[in-house]
Amino acid sequence: MTIHSNDVQDEDVEYTWNESTMSQSLRRMQYAVRGEVVTKAESLRAEGRDIIFTNVGNPQAVGQKPITYYRQVLALCDLPNACGVDHPDIHKIFPSDVIARAKEYKAAMGPAGTGAYSHSQGILAFREHVAHFIEERDGHAAHPGNIFLTNGASTGINYILQALLSGKDDAVMIPIPQYPIYSALITLLGGRQVGYELDESMGWAVTKNELEKCLRNARQNGINVKAMAIINPGNPTGQVLDRKPLQAICRFCSDNGIVLLADEVYQRNIYHPNKKFHSAKNWRSK
């Protein structure tokens, strides 16, 4: 959609679509990683100041090199076969493992290739790969039919919250501090957020007492807590949930009929030598 405006702006004109008639949930929504602080930083940079932006995880913007393997596989998937996987000199251009993976992916996508719509949950072969990874990680069955591939984690969070929040008193428990997409989307969708505090003195852990207190206060105020989000490893805190607190969280959600949303996108980003990632699915299955 393209939005057009007149070259000459008349301050006295009241447009049909304005701050009063627009979605008020959108007006209230705040997405801190791209909010006032970032706007101020950009104006300072425009003045010539040297600014290091740490508001989003954007490693390539600060010098990290992209992983070549992913780009090579994607390139071969996009190229016509004659110019790519079937080219007579392809083994002189791309490594053998890249060629093999690209052929596997192209076969899974079929003749339409990368430009066509796929199954709404994502291509089955890719979901089978994801299911295999989860089974290997957790030691429990994972079913491709239960897996949805999305355009990044943010899109997945949006889908889930849209499906959960059906009324103005529906709420999601979210960690404080948190990655602000949760609070932003909850506000946009007309829901309520119930923050539970992470204890810095305990390595940013959460206690059962804190969860029960937050839930009790919410229910006393007529708020219907439908879900609880955990971010493990944490963003922005970086903490890694140990077995006992993770088990306590799973039990808390089960006992109170709360959907557990496990945000585990940083499961390989663990920098403490004595910490190990444990998935919520693994411990809930036990």
Side-chain angles (χ1 to χ4, degrees):
M1 180 180 70
T2 302
I3 300 175
H4 299 280
S5 61
N6 297 328
D7 292 337
V8 179
Q9 298 294 326
D10 187 346
E11 295 182 359
D12 296 328
V13 174
E14 182 174 342
Y15 295 98
T16 302
W17 186 15
N18 55 49
E19 290 186 1
S20 298
T21 61
M22 70 179 290
S23 165
Q24 297 305 297
S25 294
L26 179 59
R27 281 194 68 188
R28 290 190 298 269
M29 184 183 79
Q30 296 185 26
Y31 193 28
V33 295
R34 295 179 177 87
E36 295 181 8
V37 173
V38 182
T39 301
K40 179 63 176 179
E42 288 174 343
S43 67
L44 292 174
R45 183 171 65 175
E47 295 172 3
R49 300 282 292 275
D50 186 16
I51 304 294
I52 298 176
F53 287 82
T54 60
N55 58 303
V56 292
N58 195 10
Q60 291 183 26
V62 291
Q64 178 175 304
K65 300 299 181 183
I67 298 176
T68 304
Y69 177 82
Y70 300 147
R71 296 193 172 200
Q72 289 178 324
V73 171
L74 183 58
L76 285 180
C77 287
D78 283 336
L79 283 169
N81 288 353
C83 303
V85 293
D86 292 338
H87 190 278
D89 293 326
I90 191 62
H91 287 279
K92 298 178 181 178
I93 306 171
F94 289 93
S96 297
D97 59 339
V98 169
I99 300 169
R101 183 57 60 93
K103 286 183 176 180
E104 179 184 1
Y105 284 179
K106 287 175 78 73
M109 289 184 286
T114 57
Y117 290 123
S118 69
H119 189 284
S120 59
Q121 290 179 233
I123 294 170
L124 176 59
F126 299 169
R127 288 185 280 126
E128 289 174 341
H129 286 183
V130 174
H132 177 72
F133 166 79
I134 294 173
E135 289 180 352
E136 289 287 306
R137 183 192 68 185
D138 297 335
H140 301 286
H143 305 289
N146 294 336
I147 292 171
F148 288 72
L149 305 182
T150 63
N151 183 26
S154 297
T155 302
I157 295 167
N158 190 12
Y159 287 166
I160 291 293
L161 293 180
Q162 284 186 59
L164 277 169
L165 299 174
S166 57
K168 62 181 179 61
D169 292 324
D170 288 348
V172 179
M173 295 179 66
I174 59 175
I176 304 297
Q178 49 105 21
Y179 182 66
I181 193 169
Y182 288 95
S183 55
L185 287 175
I186 291 168
T187 301
L188 178 63
L189 297 170
R192 308 280 290 273
Q193 64 183 62
V194 175
Y196 61 90
E197 297 287 340
L198 303 180
D199 191 332
E200 184 176 4
S201 67
M202 298 174 58
W204 300 105
V206 61
T207 64
K208 180 181 178 181
N209 289 339
E210 170 69 9
L211 295 178
E212 291 178 342
K213 180 191 72 173
C214 292
L215 178 61
R216 182 172 59 251
N217 291 342
R219 288 177 170 173
Q220 288 174 352
N221 289 304
I223 296 174
N224 179 28
V225 175
K226 300 183 78 171
M228 172 182 169
I230 60 171
I231 308 176
N232 179 40
N235 181 8
T237 54
Q239 91 284 6
V240 182
L241 287 173
D242 292 325
R243 296 180 181 181
K244 288 186 177 179
L246 188 56
Q247 286 177 311
I249 289 170
C250 292
R251 190 172 296 113
F252 167 80
C253 290
S254 178
D255 291 345
N256 291 284
I258 294 172
V259 177
L260 177 58
L261 310 178
D263 184 337
E264 299 172 341
V265 297
Y266 295 112
Q267 60 191 263
R268 292 188 175 179
N269 296 86
I270 299 174
Y271 305 105
H272 194 291
N274 298 324
K275 291 288 186 179
K276 180 181 178 181
F277 170 76
H278 303 284
S279 75
K281 174 181 170 64
N282 187 2
W283 291 104
R284 183 64 188 94
S285 298
K286 294 181 179 182

